[in-house]
Amino acid sequence: DIVMTQSPDSLAVSLGERATINCKSSQSVLYTSNNKNYLTWYQQKPGQPPKLLIYWASTRESGVPDRFSGSGSGTDFTLTISSLQAEDVAVYYCQQYYNTPLTFGQGTKVEIK
Amino acid sequence: EVHLLESGGGLVQPGGSLRLSCAASGFSITMYAMSWVRQAPGKGLEWVSTISSSGSIYYAESVKGRFTISRDNSKNTLYLEMNSLRAEDTAVYYCAKHTGDSVLGGGDYWGQGTRVTVSS
């Protein structure tokens, strides 16, 4: 199984400042045949289902604000919120879909400082 | 507009059974992979099972042999039959539509979830 490890577990960022979440996979999730990283990022607010933010590691889902960006390749990935807004308070998860079992990171809780 | 509505959750004793349903609208479930993902109280997300558009089925080891995923194309509904339930199956169960027809994809639409509690 591919183990997904996020860091940090939680972070507090001032409004308007940058938030950075890291995700590391225990093996590469890059398919060399199509040069795509099989990794998504989700946002989950309390009492709500997850919301897809980023897929293929760096492609923003339609309607997602451009302050959210994803980067990385192979085993190391980053979700960046360039200017934190109050509505971004949530838990963020990475997930690999390179193979089954599909696996998630443990989540990173983002709060306002 | 895509919409997913789960139902069927509830309180069940250990060893009991439940069938969860996920009624889809706004798209055909035969065109996309569909998954069940669960979240135990205060915990993270755990993938449970996926059925691809072609009907290929995948399970997490923790539920293999106890849970069965299926779909009724005429009702555009996804199911999860859960048998031999254990306390550790207690969670909110979400159904999710994948971005494509394969298990190898993320979920772009999710239902609100249905709560399953396994307790005596």
Side-chain angles (χ1 to χ4, degrees):
Chain A
D1 297 5
I2 298 177
V3 177
M4 308 298 291
T5 304
Q6 292 181 226
S7 61
D9 289 333
S10 65
L11 74 160
V13 176
S14 301
L15 289 172
E17 296 300 305
R18 179 184 301 263
T20 301
I21 301 169
N22 300 301
C23 174
K24 188 174 185 66
S25 58
S26 60
Q27 67 184 73
S28 176
V29 298
L30 172 65
Y31 259 114
T32 53
S33 60
N34 59 10
N35 201 36
K36 287 182 180 290
N37 287 282
Y38 282 51
L39 183 118
T40 64
W41 287 98
Y42 297 98
Q43 174 194 65
Q44 187 179 33
K45 298 181 179 180
Q48 295 186 17
K51 173 187 175 183
L52 179 65
L53 296 177
I54 304 282
Y55 57 96
W56 300 131
S58 59
T59 301
R60 197 179 304 113
E61 173 72 341
S62 176
V64 172
D66 60 8
R67 64 180 179 272
F68 291 93
S69 64
S71 63
S73 184
T75 61
D76 292 280
F77 302 91
T78 301
L79 176 70
T80 302
I81 309 172
S82 60
S83 175
L84 191 75
Q85 305 300 303
E87 60 266 32
D88 301 334
V89 169
V91 179
Y92 293 83
Y93 295 92
C94 60
Q95 180 216 337
Q96 66 80 21
Y97 48 96
Y98 182 86
N99 61 18
T100 58
L102 307 180
T103 48
F104 293 86
Q106 80 275 19
T108 295
K109 187 174 185 179
V110 174
E111 300 172 308
I112 304 295
K113 184 186 293 183
Chain B
E1 182 185 2
V2 171
H3 193 60
L4 298 169
L5 182 63
E6 301 98 335
S7 61
L11 174 64
V12 61
Q13 292 188 340
S17 299
L18 276 178
R19 189 177 82 155
L20 306 184
S21 300
C22 173
S25 58
F27 72 102
S28 171
I29 64 171
T30 63
M31 300 294 291
Y32 295 89
M34 299 289 296
S35 282
W36 289 98
V37 174
R38 67 186 181 183
Q39 187 167 37
K43 302 298 184 182
L45 301 169
E46 180 188 16
W47 171 74
V48 174
S49 181
T50 299
I51 182 168
S52 73
S53 65
S54 65
S56 296
I57 287 174
Y58 309 83
Y59 295 104
E61 279 299 319
S62 59
V63 307
K64 198 174 290 186
R66 300 187 299 122
F67 290 12
T68 302
I69 192 172
S70 63
R71 66 188 184 201
D72 185 328
N73 298 341
S74 66
K75 295 183 178 179
N76 213 33
T77 299
L78 179 73
Y79 300 101
L80 186 69
E81 185 78 36
M82 304 187 297
N83 298 316
S84 303
L85 282 161
R86 307 165 180 166
E88 54 265 35
D89 296 318
T90 294
V92 173
Y93 285 73
Y94 296 102
C95 72
K97 166 190 168 296
H98 281 225
T99 54
D101 59 3
S102 164
V103 63
L104 302 183
D108 56 356
Y109 288 91
W110 295 64
Q112 289 297 311
T114 186
R115 186 174 302 275
V116 172
T117 303
V118 184
S119 175
S120 55

